[in-house]
Amino acid sequence: MQEKGSISIHTENIFPIIKKFLYSDNEIFLRELVSNAVDATQKIKRLASLGQYNGELGDLRVEVAFDEEKKTITISDNGLGMTAEEIKKYINQIAFSGATEFMEKFKEAKDANEIIGRFGLGFYSAFMVADKVEIQTLSYQDGAEPAYWVCDGSTSFEISEGNKTERGTDVILYINAESEEFLEENRIETILNKYAKFLPVPVQFGTKSESIPDGEDEEGKPKYKSVDVENIINNTNPMLNEAAAEYRAVRDAGWELAEDGCHFTL
């Protein structure tokens, strides 16, 4: 299976607008892509609760990883995944009506938040920082085949057979030269702490060192050893009203989860 095509005639004008915000609000790409990944986990959980998915849910989570040498950032989830047909529907077709009105209203926008999200462009915010974006995905549906999608920021895309063996989606960003600040561990973690602190599923970003008890020394004093544990960014069960309020504020600012359709907010 291999297919090439054009995303949409209107996207010729949309991509330059997205890239226009490269030096101001470019960090929101991570917020949007993690939001999509969280949405995928919530949708598979909902399908299971309705009896429409009978497989094992597993440990629902989102993982963010980066490779400084390859200059990539990968956002992974084990949510509902997509088929090739769903990729064509939800990724290749820009999910808003009135593209002409969109262009006229937002072509002079000064803030990325004025356009990202309001017209369903969350996924395409990846091109604010990436020269190329890939998707590896496998749908939850019985008999589904893995699918692969790639786009270099032009209106051309390619779909072929993927290599994913477990349910879910990986979005791989090939970071451009102007955005290599996002290949720094501290930079990524700062953004995740800013936007993902109270999301409903664990968001993992690498590992961290923790000290755990390791018996006693010769004097009977407790000893400790350092071990690597998963670095979970968020608290999935906020207990304080203040924390819940902060989560709602962040959600309202842009972490909106789609109620219907595929898990991708484009």
Side-chain angles (χ1 to χ4, degrees):
M1 174 190 69
Q2 187 169 6
E3 179 178 338
K4 295 182 180 180
S6 177
I7 295 173
S8 165
I9 189 172
H10 301 297
T11 57
E12 295 176 8
N13 296 321
I14 291 170
F15 279 120
I17 287 185
I18 293 174
K19 293 177 180 179
K20 171 183 176 180
F21 302 103
L22 186 64
Y23 299 104
S24 57
D25 302 297
N26 51 349
E27 71 175 32
I28 67 174
F29 81 92
L30 193 55
R31 179 192 74 189
E32 296 296 325
L33 295 178
V34 173
S35 177
N36 285 339
V38 170
D39 190 24
T41 66
Q42 298 305 284
K43 282 189 166 65
I44 193 67
K45 184 177 179 181
R46 176 63 173 166
L47 288 175
S49 71
L50 295 173
Q52 297 178 19
Y53 175 67
N54 298 316
E56 292 291 331
L57 284 178
D59 181 18
L60 295 175
R61 65 172 51 209
V62 173
E63 295 187 23
V64 179
F66 76 103
D67 188 317
E68 192 171 3
E69 291 186 3
K70 294 181 180 180
K71 301 186 186 304
T72 60
I73 295 176
T74 301
I75 298 92
S76 302
D77 68 70
N78 57 350
L80 77 172
M82 290 182 288
T83 63
E85 288 301 315
E86 286 172 333
I87 290 178
K88 285 186 281 187
K89 180 177 180 181
Y90 295 108
I91 300 298
N92 295 344
Q93 298 175 16
I94 302 300
F96 60 84
S97 59
T100 301
E101 178 185 358
F102 165 86
M103 292 299 303
E104 290 300 319
K105 187 171 184 179
F106 292 105
K107 63 184 178 182
E108 301 300 329
K110 298 178 182 180
D111 184 347
N113 283 301
E114 293 183 45
I115 63 169
I116 301 298
R118 292 188 61 180
F119 277 80
L121 292 176
F123 172 73
Y124 286 100
S125 67
F127 290 101
M128 297 170 73
V129 299
D131 287 326
K132 181 174 72 171
V133 177
E134 296 176 336
I135 296 174
Q136 292 279 2
T137 186
L138 177 61
S139 172
Y140 74 95
Q141 299 175 46
D142 291 338
E145 296 182 354
Y148 169 78
W149 177 94
V150 60
C151 178
D152 63 2
S154 68
T155 57
S156 298
F157 69 89
E158 181 177 327
I159 297 178
S160 58
E161 184 176 349
N163 59 21
K164 198 163 179 63
T165 58
E166 297 182 352
R167 185 198 72 224
T169 300
D170 302 328
V171 178
I172 304 101
L173 280 61
Y174 291 79
I175 303 302
N176 60 41
E178 295 85 359
S179 303
E180 290 186 3
E181 65 178 281
F182 296 108
L183 295 171
E184 300 174 3
E185 182 176 358
N186 288 340
R187 183 72 168 101
I188 296 174
E189 188 160 7
T190 296
I191 298 172
L192 292 174
N193 280 324
K194 180 177 180 180
Y195 293 115
K197 207 65 176 176
F198 301 103
L199 292 176
V201 296
V203 177
Q204 180 183 351
F205 179 53
T207 61
K208 62 182 179 181
S209 295
E210 281 190 359
S211 293
I212 63 172
D214 186 29
E216 298 179 345
D217 61 18
E218 296 178 353
E219 299 178 356
K221 296 179 180 179
K223 292 194 306 180
Y224 297 88
K225 64 179 179 180
S226 181
V227 297
D228 288 336
V229 298
E230 295 176 343
N231 181 26
I232 304 299
I233 294 295
N234 53 325
N235 174 8
T236 58
N237 295 293
M239 300 298 294
L240 301 177
N241 289 335
E242 181 179 353
E246 184 174 349
Y247 167 73
R248 287 192 294 271
V250 172
R251 178 201 61 193
D252 293 341
W255 284 101
E256 297 181 0
L257 304 180
E259 290 297 329
D260 300 299
C262 180
H263 70 275
F264 266 94
T265 301
L266 302 184

